[in-house]
Amino acid sequence: MIEPFMTPIRTIMTPGPVEAHPSVLRAMGTPIVGQFDPTFLKVMDEVKEMIKVPFQTKNKQAFAIDGTSRSGLEAALIALIEPGDKVLIPVYGRFAFLLGEICERAQAEVIYEEKEWDGVFSQETVIDMIDHHQPKIVAMVHGETANGQMQPLDKIGPYCQNHNIFFVVDTVATYGGVPIKVDEWGIDIAIAGTQKCLSVPSGLSLITYNDKVEKVLDSRYQKELGLSKEFRNDRHIASNYLDLSQLQRYWSSERINHHTEATSLIYALHEGLRLLLNEGIDNSYARHQLNDQAIVAGITAMGLEMYGDPETKMPTVTPIMVPEGIEAESVRSMLLEHFGVEIASSFGALQGKVWRIGNMGFSSRHENVLHVLGALEATLLYHGATLNRGQAVQAALTIYHK
Amino acid sequence: MIEPFMTPIRTIMTPGPVEAHPSVLRAMGTPIVGQFDPTFLKVMDEVKEMIKVPFQTKNKQAFAIDGTSRSGLEAALIALIEPGDKVLIPVYGRFAFLLGEICERAQAEVIYEEKEWDGVFSQETVIDMIDHHQPKIVAMVHGETANGQMQPLDKIGPYCQNHNIFFVVDTVATYGGVPIKVDEWGIDIAIAGTQKCLSVPSGLSLITYNDKVEKVLDSRYQKELGLSKEFRNDRHIASNYLDLSQLQRYWSSERINHHTEATSLIYALHEGLRLLLNEGIDNSYARHQLNDQAIVAGITAMGLEMYGDPETKMPTVTPIMVPEGIEAESVRSMLLEHFGVEIASSFGALQGKVWRIGNMGFSSRHENVLHVLGALEATLLYHGATLNRGQAVQAALTIYHK
């Protein structure tokens, strides 16, 4: 006989998933109603409108996809790509490769332009690449959690718009925690997640796109065979589940029957967005910024080195060099086991060399920052590291208590 | 300022989503832990084992996919299909067309063999079709919610096994409520949902497959580019998000980094499965059967006509002919507005002509059955239908109170 699961309370200071807000958890436990129940349709309509706010967009289309963040990335890219299409992907971290992987599987011709992971591209460099390769689509990551770097986009997007190139941006790790200006930056499709700065559990992806994309979707729309045999389309999207042309019609007043909506997650999303909008997106950005300052002050005061260009550091992720001679995973384990604190390792070449402290959503709180700094210092000392003792938390307090 | 959402309590007697069990809702609201937290890995491992029980399988592979039921159908089919592969789909309802739609999008050559929706195929007929078409894959729906019919499979599967043909079965609407014998029936991949007989909210798909399928997956496995540049595969699966060869390695001890698991839904799934296993799958089947008898007795006593072959009726769905002169949607609206009861309409040719009463999971309770029968009778009388007054609930009580 399997017992009810029993999980501990954690201080989750990773770049996601982070702690879900208690009010979001409560909302998620609301008894469900049918997916076409008028009361649920109202919830969906409000969600659509709220999604647009952190995207800073007037786009007509904004909705949630029933899958984790990468389902939204895939839905976005396969909506635009037809076999042989050229996609340019400037790579400064792990998740650009995920974009590329998805494009390759959609039979695009993918051009990777790689740089070291320790910083981002100058926008002029990216514009030169675009000019050189003349792609149909440029796909980029706004905030790369693997190295904590954030790519400026305000010149790249308008350049794409002026040259009739689609600009697709992964804003999974920045949505709600850092300003994103979809319209002003000329982003055609932006994709976000829920389990980061929104403090909503993982399981949904958020997406918004403009009329230019909607026109493509209209030209590729194919009604599902179970609903009508008369609406075939040679250029239909390769996936049924992630077909934006259908999903859009499910979320519109047309309400076509597609999947069975994950109503409980939509409840959670409604509450998470509501909390964010009540706080005010600018206040949320300021909160993340302040807690980031405290983390950086603490890590620096401790005598640890950070990874990557500080000029373009994401306020929501702090990558820290693992000190010489310290076993990265042993430190993470002790943090989890004795302090209940989770921090992250990294990927690829950075695995085992860099830890990442997240600072996102409901996890982005003074007490969490102070706890993780104290815990990390103690754990490192226990592991024999040479540090400035007792300075990290003091440095953070100095930021907070002015 | 958007207010917190406010949804009513409904008696959900549709073929899904049905009422989530209160204990499942409570479990879902548990504070989250990281997806690689050792305590969560234990939850995942237990879920894997529990999933197998209602499938009655000894398969090594069984896990959940972060998407609604149809994400699992797509993952299953694209795992096997390579362009040009021949797939045979015997159609006796709407959801076979969904299977076909997915196969077509995966560039299979799809052969539909259609019959009227009022019954199922004789297994001999299907075997003859297989013999005739010699497909690589046969894909079928076990329980078709559109018409409430259930296809016997115990001869078709073994025939496929003997002829080295893959047999893929959609058990979304039967899992947990009706016996499914994956191993005995020779099913290579079975796919289920959570929002039906498991009483867990929508958002996950459950899947199991055998070694024969695993071998195909091994031959098509491609590591994600963000994790390794050295592991390319020409025959890789078309989707990254729904790539079973990756998902399997995420759910195994390998724990590759793929998506960010929807931990809250996995909590819900753990509790839903646990409740089902505690009840005992045979007891659950008997409960669904008994409540089905009560529904059928009530509907018949009322003087309404049922749709479809009673011999192969699903115990979890009762399709009812809308009486001449009654407006189907007006009845559904009154049921919802005044009785808080949701029943379903149907699809395609049956839309507006057939209502469907579901009988699934936590919704499959005496009080729900009696409430829906009383409410339907009152609503039909209010709409001017000619009925046997006051007999439906009595007939159902006679079934229960022996």
Side-chain angles (χ1 to χ4, degrees):
Chain A
M1 195 69 72
I2 300 229
E3 296 293 311
F5 68 87
M6 198 56 72
T7 51
I9 296 294
R10 299 294 198 202
T11 300
I12 312 184
M13 295 301 275
T14 66
V18 301
E19 299 167 33
H21 195 288
S23 174
V24 166
L25 293 175
R26 222 157 46 220
M28 192 163 52
T30 307
I32 66 167
V33 295
Q35 64 170 338
F36 293 113
D37 194 300
T39 59
F40 186 69
L41 300 181
K42 179 165 180 280
V43 175
M44 285 173 77
D45 287 343
E46 289 179 351
V47 159
K48 277 178 78 167
E49 288 313 307
M50 288 195 285
I51 286 175
K52 296 177 188 176
V53 180
F55 276 134
Q56 298 192 47
T57 184
K58 293 196 163 60
N59 282 344
K60 199 175 120 208
Q61 298 301 340
F63 51 86
I65 297 170
D66 285 3
T68 69
S69 310
R70 65 172 63 198
S71 73
L73 300 175
E74 186 162 322
L77 291 163
I78 65 173
L80 295 178
I81 294 171
E82 294 181 65
D85 280 349
K86 203 191 272 187
V87 184
L88 172 65
I89 302 190
V91 181
Y92 66 97
R94 175 197 165 177
F95 287 99
F97 283 121
L98 173 58
L99 298 176
E101 175 93 12
I102 293 168
C103 294
E104 284 182 20
R105 291 184 186 222
Q107 299 179 52
E109 180 197 331
V110 184
I111 299 153
Y112 299 96
E113 288 277 7
E114 297 186 46
K115 71 174 292 305
E116 286 299 304
W117 288 16
D118 59 354
V120 299
F121 290 95
S122 84
Q123 297 197 73
E124 291 66 29
T125 307
V126 174
I127 288 169
D128 286 347
M129 289 172 194
I130 298 172
D131 205 36
H132 176 68
H133 294 295
Q134 302 281 330
K136 175 176 162 180
I137 300 162
V138 176
M140 289 195 84
V141 177
H142 182 215
E144 166 63 60
T145 58
N147 53 5
Q149 290 287 309
M150 189 163 67
Q151 173 67 50
L153 303 168
D154 61 316
K155 292 195 181 70
I156 302 170
Y159 183 87
C160 289
Q161 293 309 318
N162 288 336
H163 293 76
N164 211 22
I165 291 164
F166 289 100
F167 191 38
V168 178
V169 180
D170 168 350
T171 63
V172 169
T174 45
Y175 184 85
V178 176
I180 300 168
K181 300 181 177 179
V182 166
D183 295 353
E184 198 180 312
W185 295 351
I187 299 173
D188 291 298
I189 314 186
I191 307 96
T194 55
Q195 78 283 8
K196 299 187 189 269
C197 302
L198 260 190
S199 319
V200 170
S202 178
L204 294 174
S205 181
L206 312 181
I207 195 163
T208 188
Y209 50 84
N210 58 22
D211 290 349
K212 195 171 123 197
V213 174
E214 199 174 333
K215 238 177 244 164
V216 175
L217 289 172
D218 282 344
S219 75
R220 303 187 72 179
Y221 177 50
Q222 170 169 304
K223 252 189 200 163
E224 196 176 299
L225 208 52
L227 301 175
S228 157
K229 287 191 187 176
E230 272 142 44
F231 209 125
R232 308 275 86 195
N233 188 328
D234 284 347
R235 289 175 54 229
H236 66 69
I237 289 165
S239 168
N240 167 277
Y241 189 66
L242 298 176
D243 181 342
L244 287 182
S245 74
Q246 293 204 26
L247 288 169
Q248 171 186 314
R249 284 167 176 80
Y250 169 73
W251 279 83
S252 78
S253 54
E254 207 177 320
R255 313 258 181 225
I256 65 160
N257 190 285
H258 185 254
H259 59 287
T260 297
E261 189 55 46
T263 37
S264 301
L265 290 180
I266 298 293
Y267 284 169
L269 176 60
H270 188 282
E271 183 61 8
L273 285 165
R274 214 182 61 79
L275 291 172
L276 176 61
L277 270 51
N278 271 6
E279 178 180 11
I281 54 173
D282 289 333
N283 293 331
S284 170
Y285 303 152
R287 172 168 55 86
H288 285 87
Q289 197 83 50
L290 180 71
N291 288 327
D292 181 54
Q293 283 170 28
I295 292 169
V296 171
I299 293 299
T300 312
M302 214 184 292
L304 294 176
E305 201 185 327
M306 292 198 303
Y307 177 82
D309 185 349
E311 288 293 310
T312 47
K313 179 187 177 302
M314 289 172 79
T316 49
V317 184
T318 299
I320 302 164
M321 300 295 297
V322 176
E324 203 59 40
I326 300 292
E327 207 205 310
E329 283 309 291
S330 170
V331 169
R332 291 215 312 131
S333 295
M334 182 176 273
L335 281 171
L336 192 71
E337 192 183 340
H338 296 294
F339 296 87
V341 168
E342 190 186 4
I343 67 168
S345 54
S346 190
F347 303 105
L350 302 186
Q351 190 148 28
K353 296 189 181 147
V354 164
W355 292 304
R356 299 174 300 151
I357 295 182
N359 166 46
M360 293 176 165
F362 183 62
S363 283
S364 179
R365 309 197 305 280
H366 294 201
E367 62 267 36
N368 276 14
V369 169
L370 297 168
H371 184 39
V372 74
L373 288 171
L376 182 61
E377 176 182 327
T379 303
L380 283 171
L381 287 173
Y382 197 89
H383 278 74
T386 314
L387 290 179
N388 307 322
R389 284 177 192 242
Q391 311 247 359
V393 174
Q394 293 302 313
L397 275 176
T398 307
I399 299 285
Y400 289 141
H401 201 71
K402 277 178 182 162
Chain B
M1 195 68 72
I2 299 225
E3 296 293 313
F5 69 86
M6 198 55 74
T7 49
I9 296 293
R10 300 293 199 203
T11 300
I12 313 185
M13 296 300 277
T14 67
V18 301
E19 299 167 32
H21 195 287
S23 175
V24 167
L25 293 175
R26 223 158 46 220
M28 192 164 52
T30 306
I32 66 166
V33 295
Q35 63 171 336
F36 294 112
D37 195 297
T39 59
F40 187 68
L41 299 182
K42 178 164 181 276
V43 175
M44 284 173 78
D45 288 343
E46 289 179 351
V47 159
K48 276 178 78 167
E49 288 313 307
M50 288 195 285
I51 286 175
K52 297 176 189 176
V53 180
F55 277 135
Q56 298 192 46
T57 183
K58 294 196 160 61
N59 282 344
K60 198 175 122 207
Q61 299 301 339
F63 52 85
I65 297 171
D66 285 4
T68 69
S69 310
R70 66 171 63 196
S71 74
L73 300 176
E74 188 162 322
L77 291 164
I78 66 174
L80 295 178
I81 294 172
E82 294 181 64
D85 280 348
K86 202 192 270 189
V87 185
L88 171 65
I89 302 190
V91 181
Y92 66 96
R94 174 195 166 178
F95 286 98
F97 283 121
L98 173 59
L99 299 176
E101 176 94 12
I102 293 168
C103 295
E104 285 183 21
R105 291 184 186 222
Q107 299 180 55
E109 180 197 332
V110 184
I111 299 153
Y112 299 96
E113 288 278 7
E114 297 186 46
K115 69 172 296 305
E116 287 299 306
W117 288 16
D118 58 354
V120 299
F121 290 94
S122 84
Q123 296 197 75
E124 291 67 30
T125 306
V126 174
I127 289 169
D128 285 347
M129 288 173 194
I130 298 171
D131 205 38
H132 176 67
H133 293 295
Q134 300 281 330
K136 175 176 163 181
I137 300 162
V138 176
M140 290 195 83
V141 176
H142 183 215
E144 166 63 60
T145 58
N147 54 7
Q149 290 288 309
M150 190 162 67
Q151 173 68 50
L153 303 168
D154 60 317
K155 292 197 180 70
I156 302 170
Y159 184 87
C160 289
Q161 293 310 318
N162 288 338
H163 293 76
N164 211 21
I165 292 164
F166 290 100
F167 191 38
V168 178
V169 179
D170 168 351
T171 62
V172 170
T174 46
Y175 184 85
V178 176
I180 300 168
K181 300 182 177 178
V182 165
D183 295 353
E184 196 180 313
W185 296 350
I187 299 174
D188 291 297
I189 314 186
I191 307 96
T194 55
Q195 78 283 7
K196 298 187 190 270
C197 302
L198 260 189
S199 318
V200 170
S202 177
L204 295 174
S205 181
L206 312 180
I207 195 163
T208 189
Y209 50 85
N210 57 22
D211 290 348
K212 194 171 125 198
V213 174
E214 199 174 333
K215 237 177 245 165
V216 175
L217 288 172
D218 282 343
S219 74
R220 302 187 73 179
Y221 178 49
Q222 170 169 304
K223 251 190 201 165
E224 197 176 299
L225 208 51
L227 300 176
S228 158
K229 287 190 187 175
E230 273 143 43
F231 209 126
R232 309 277 84 196
N233 188 327
D234 285 347
R235 288 175 52 229
H236 65 70
I237 289 164
S239 168
N240 167 277
Y241 190 67
L242 298 176
D243 180 341
L244 287 183
S245 74
Q246 294 204 26
L247 289 169
Q248 172 187 313
R249 284 166 176 80
Y250 170 73
W251 278 83
S252 79
S253 54
E254 207 176 323
R255 313 260 181 223
I256 65 160
N257 191 286
H258 185 253
H259 59 288
T260 299
E261 189 53 48
T263 37
S264 301
L265 290 180
I266 298 294
Y267 284 169
L269 175 60
H270 187 281
E271 182 61 9
L273 284 165
R274 213 182 60 80
L275 291 171
L276 175 61
L277 269 52
N278 272 7
E279 178 181 11
I281 54 172
D282 290 332
N283 293 331
S284 170
Y285 304 153
R287 171 168 56 86
H288 285 87
Q289 198 82 50
L290 180 70
N291 287 327
D292 181 55
Q293 283 170 26
I295 293 169
V296 170
I299 294 300
T300 311
M302 214 184 295
L304 294 175
E305 199 185 327
M306 292 199 303
Y307 176 81
D309 185 348
E311 287 293 310
T312 47
K313 180 187 177 304
M314 289 171 79
T316 49
V317 184
T318 300
I320 302 164
M321 300 296 296
V322 177
E324 202 63 38
I326 299 291
E327 207 206 310
E329 283 309 292
S330 170
V331 169
R332 288 213 317 129
S333 296
M334 182 176 272
L335 281 170
L336 192 71
E337 192 182 341
H338 295 293
F339 296 89
V341 168
E342 190 186 4
I343 67 169
S345 55
S346 191
F347 303 105
L350 301 186
Q351 191 148 30
K353 295 189 182 149
V354 164
W355 291 303
R356 299 174 301 151
I357 295 182
N359 166 47
M360 293 176 166
F362 183 61
S363 283
S364 180
R365 311 197 304 280
H366 292 202
E367 62 267 35
N368 276 13
V369 169
L370 297 169
H371 183 40
V372 74
L373 288 172
L376 182 61
E377 176 182 328
T379 303
L380 283 172
L381 287 173
Y382 197 89
H383 279 75
T386 313
L387 290 180
N388 308 322
R389 286 176 190 241
Q391 311 249 358
V393 174
Q394 293 302 314
L397 276 175
T398 305
I399 299 285
Y400 289 140
H401 201 72
K402 276 177 186 163

